[in-house]
Amino acid sequence: MIYVLGGKLNAAVRALEVFHKMGINPLVYVSPGEDRIRAMSSLEECANKLGSKLIKDIHEIYGEKVFFLSVECDRILNEKFFGEGSKFFNVHFSLLPKYRGTMTSFWPIVFGENETGVTLHEIDNGIDTGDIISQVKMEIREEYTCRDLYFKYHEVAGDLIEKVLPLIVEGKYTKLPQDSEQASSFPRFLYHYFPKDFYSKQLRLLEKRQVYNILRALIFKEFQLPSVDGKRVKRVSLHPWETMTSFIRTNSGNVYIETLE
């Protein structure tokens, strides 16, 4: 059996380190875009440091019997392309079956959730529908932006991987099917249709908590910042701070923002 790790950034780095502690040197596939977040550790750099072989595409291991761990991996895996007896696992950033799919640092904040988590599950032929092996709950703090939540996911996922990965490798785990009645799913295209640029006169029609959640869910400086009246918002609060340069009137009070311009 060939061990393979696919993914990027801090949580995937933790997984690679755990593999090596177990005496396993997996092949490593690095998902695109890792260089966009310089504040996190690089899986590619860690693989080179530890002497793990990098593969450019999953196609390189088609036909092989693999143990595949996906940690922020951008590829959809289908068992029919791999050898019989292959095993596939994924670390997903949500409390499955809620928030299947992508952008799980965005949607829970938009919808005002105060709790989320990380799930380690088997991969089947659906999207994040496989049996659950382990879950960890975590708080979504009121001040979290999309970026804050994404970084916290990686921290919690790393701890979960360190605890559970050795058990999975040894086959010493139990699993439970997901309750499809409790499932929610948000494909990437829905996010692309979500507005990122606003006028204050539009936002006045909403409640202040809605405005606050929408703006902080869009703050991830390496990728995007929302704008209000043409000014990019880098910070948002329900309370006035010295650095807050403006405010938005809503139906139920003010939302305070700090802009780049």
Side-chain angles (χ1 to χ4, degrees):
M1 179 174 285
I2 299 174
Y3 288 88
V4 187
L5 170 64
K8 61 185 178 183
L9 301 171
N10 285 4
V13 168
R14 291 279 296 277
L16 183 56
E17 291 171 345
V18 172
F19 271 126
H20 277 267
K21 287 178 183 178
M22 299 174 63
I24 298 171
N25 190 0
L27 298 177
V28 174
Y29 166 75
V30 180
S31 294
E34 187 176 59
D35 58 341
R36 296 282 299 274
I37 306 179
R38 298 292 187 179
M40 284 198 184
S41 300
S42 163
L43 177 59
E44 181 174 357
E45 291 178 5
C46 183
N48 288 329
K49 179 180 178 181
L50 295 177
S52 293
K53 181 181 177 181
L54 294 168
I55 59 175
K56 293 184 178 180
D57 201 284
I58 301 301
H59 297 150
E60 296 179 37
I61 54 173
Y62 278 2
E64 301 287 352
K65 180 181 178 181
V66 300
F67 177 107
F68 197 107
L69 178 64
S70 167
V71 186
E72 281 294 89
C73 184
D74 67 322
R75 293 291 185 263
I76 296 176
L77 303 172
N78 192 319
E79 63 180 13
K80 72 179 183 180
F81 295 118
F82 297 89
E84 185 177 350
S86 292
K87 299 179 180 180
F88 306 93
F89 305 92
N90 181 47
V91 177
H92 182 73
F93 291 173
S94 84
L95 285 177
L96 290 175
K98 295 182 67 175
Y99 297 102
R100 292 171 175 169
T102 62
M103 307 303 297
T104 59
S105 301
F106 171 76
W107 293 112
I109 294 178
V110 168
F111 290 122
E113 303 276 10
N114 56 27
E115 182 181 72
T116 184
V118 175
T119 304
L120 200 159
H121 66 96
E122 290 184 332
I123 295 176
D124 59 14
N125 290 328
I127 303 297
D128 302 319
T129 55
D131 290 351
I132 293 172
I133 296 170
S134 186
Q135 285 186 320
V136 176
K137 293 182 179 180
M138 55 186 258
E139 178 188 10
I140 302 177
R141 297 178 62 174
E142 184 179 81
E143 69 272 18
Y144 275 3
T145 64
C146 178
R147 185 180 190 270
D148 295 330
L149 182 54
Y150 186 70
F151 273 62
K152 188 64 178 181
Y153 274 137
H154 273 273
E155 178 186 334
V156 172
D159 293 340
L160 177 63
I161 289 165
E162 191 158 346
K163 178 181 177 181
V164 180
L165 180 55
L167 300 176
I168 294 176
V169 170
E170 296 173 5
K172 298 178 180 178
Y173 66 91
T174 57
K175 58 185 181 179
L176 292 172
Q178 295 188 34
D179 181 0
S180 60
E181 294 295 322
Q182 302 299 317
S184 58
S185 181
F186 296 90
R188 187 177 297 273
F189 78 86
L190 291 177
Y191 168 77
H192 291 310
Y193 283 111
F194 196 93
K196 282 69 174 185
D197 304 300
F198 307 90
Y199 291 103
S200 55
K201 63 181 180 181
Q202 297 170 319
L203 297 177
R204 287 180 189 144
L205 302 174
L206 303 176
E207 303 302 322
K208 71 175 183 179
R209 179 67 65 172
Q210 290 176 301
V211 173
Y212 177 64
N213 289 343
I214 288 170
L215 293 179
R216 68 189 178 109
L218 288 166
I219 295 175
F220 201 132
K221 66 180 183 180
E222 286 86 352
F223 297 97
Q224 88 216 340
L225 291 173
S227 73
V228 176
D229 296 332
K231 296 181 179 181
R232 289 177 293 168
V233 177
K234 68 177 182 179
R235 196 173 185 184
V236 60
S237 176
L238 293 173
H239 312 285
W241 290 6
E242 290 183 4
T243 59
M244 295 301 174
T245 54
S246 185
F247 65 88
I248 303 163
R249 296 187 187 277
T250 74
N251 275 335
S252 53
N254 295 334
V255 175
Y256 301 86
I257 59 175
E258 181 179 358
T259 62
L260 290 178
E261 292 81 6

